[in-house]
Amino acid sequence: VYACAFDDAAANDHFNLGSEEAVTMLELAESLWVLCGRTEPFAVDRTEGFDHDVKRRVPDSSKASAVLGWEPTISLDESLEQYVDWYRREIA
């Protein structure tokens, strides 16, 4: 069990972790496409979204900063690269 000084304050709570940099799902998918080494052109089939769909999401991680002392230290691109590298090692 991992124990730290903020356990009581963070117990059973939810935290958004991320930067204030907005990214679309298409941008995210294309970044992963490139990082995975795909050579064919990136293309998607799309359907119209619903009016109630979230159009843009930027996580507010101020609570994580205040309670956990957490701040983002790497970019989304860096974190995706680390994830893809980790995943490749896991499936090898």
Side-chain angles (χ1 to χ4, degrees), residues 32-78:
L32 287 168
W33 185 267
V34 170
L35 284 170
C36 289
R38 302 301 297 249
T39 56
E40 55 270 40
F42 176 75
V44 297
D45 290 329
R46 295 174 53 155
T47 59
E48 288 299 317
F50 297 102
D51 289 338
H52 60 273
D53 284 346
V54 175
K55 305 293 187 247
R56 181 172 182 236
R57 184 177 185 285
V58 180
D60 176 5
S61 56
S62 60
K63 185 169 84 171
S65 176
V67 176
L68 306 174
W70 182 88
E71 297 285 339
T73 58
I74 62 174
S75 70
L76 175 62
D77 288 338
E78 290 173 288

Side-chain angles (χ1 to χ4, degrees), residues 6-15 63:
F6 51 77
D7 279 353
D8 289 340
N12 299 311
D13 207 347
H14 297 90
F15 297 90
K63 185 169 84 171

